[in-house]
Amino acid sequence: MNETAFDEPLFASLKPGLTSFCYRMLGSMDDADDAVQETSIRVWQSWSTFRQDSSFKTWVYRIASNLCLDKLRQSKRRALPVDLFDPAVAIVEPRDTLPDSAWIWPSPDFGGNPEDRLVRRDTLQLCFIALLQTLPPRQRAVLILKDVFEWSSKQIAETLAMSPAAVNSALQRARETMDRAQLRSDELSSMVVQPEQQLLSRYVEAFEQFDIAALVALFHEEGCMSMPPFEMWIRGKEDLSAFYSLTRWHCEGSRFVPITVNGGYPALAQYMPGKEGSGLVPWGIHVIETKENQILHVQNFIHTPLFSRFGLPERIDR
C-alpha cells in the first residue's frame, strides 16, 4: 500500500461511529472532533504501514483510542454541576464558573449512519457520559467497546494492545466501578423516557412569557436546575421561584428553538434579547428531564459555541 491509495470513503464510513466513541471517551464534541481529525491525519500518514494483519476498522480505532488516552492523561475529569457541588444555599446571581474543559457538554447527532442509530442510545445519556468519566481511561475504552459497541474481547485486545484476559479483567473492574458510583446526575436522570410534548409546550409558553408561577408549577417537588459553566445549581420550588425572579431582567423576552441532543433526545435552544436591541442571540441549550410528568431537572448548558455545532443560526428575530 502507499499514501496515494488512502481510501477516504472507507474512513468516512467509520467516522460517525468513531466520533461517538471519542465523545463517550472525552465528554466533549470539540475534543471528539479534534481526536477524529487527528486520527484521519495519522491514518493517512501511516497508510503505507497498514499490513492488514488486523481489520482496517480495528487499526483505525487503535489510533483513535491511543489519541483519546493521550488526551485524558493530560486533562482532569469532566463532570456535571450536580455531581461536583451541593445545591445553592443562598439564591444570588450565579458568578463562579469553571473552564469549559471541566464540563460535559451535549452532542448533536453524529451523522445519518444506520449503525450509529443502532448503537445503544441510553449510553448517550448525559448521566451515562458522566459515569464513564469516573473510570480510568483504559477501563473506559474497554467498557465502551464491549458494552456499547459490542466488540469481542479479542478485537478489543487487538485495538488496545492488551491480552484478552486483561480486557476481561479491566471490563469487570469498570463494571464494578460503574455499579458503585453514586452520582447525583444519575439519580436525577430520566433521559431514557422522552418528556411529554404537552409538558415541553407548557414549559416553552411559561418561559417565553416569563410567567414565574406557571413555570415553577411545572417542576417536581424535588425539581432542580443547573447551568454549566456556573458551579451554582438550584433545587426546590421556592428557590427556583426566587432565582427566576432574580434573573427576570436577563431572560425575559427569550425564545426557544426545538432541537435534539445525545441520540435524539428533545431539547430547547434559548435565544435571549441582544444588547444591540434588535433580534435575539444564543444563550443556552435546555435539556429537560422529567419524573411523573413533571420537570425533575433542567440542565441549561450555557455555551454559545454549541449553537453553531447544532447548526443553529447566530441570531433570530424577536
Side-chain angles (χ1 to χ4, degrees), residues 242-285:
F243 182 80
Y244 284 129
S245 298
L246 189 66
T247 57
R248 173 187 286 277
W249 66 273
H250 180 78
C251 290
E252 200 164 26
S254 292
R255 294 289 180 270
F256 283 119
V257 173
I259 60 170
T260 59
V261 302
N262 290 61
Y265 191 83
L268 300 163
Q270 178 192 352
Y271 286 79
M272 58 169 282
K275 293 180 181 179
E276 296 80 6
S278 63
L280 302 173
V281 297
W283 177 245
I285 304 292

Side-chain angles (χ1 to χ4, degrees), residues 152-174:
S152 69
S153 295
K154 180 177 182 293
Q155 190 176 7
I156 296 169
E158 292 175 357
T159 301
L160 299 177
M162 303 167 67
S163 68
V167 166
N168 292 333
S169 176
L171 180 64
Q172 181 179 351
R173 294 196 304 274

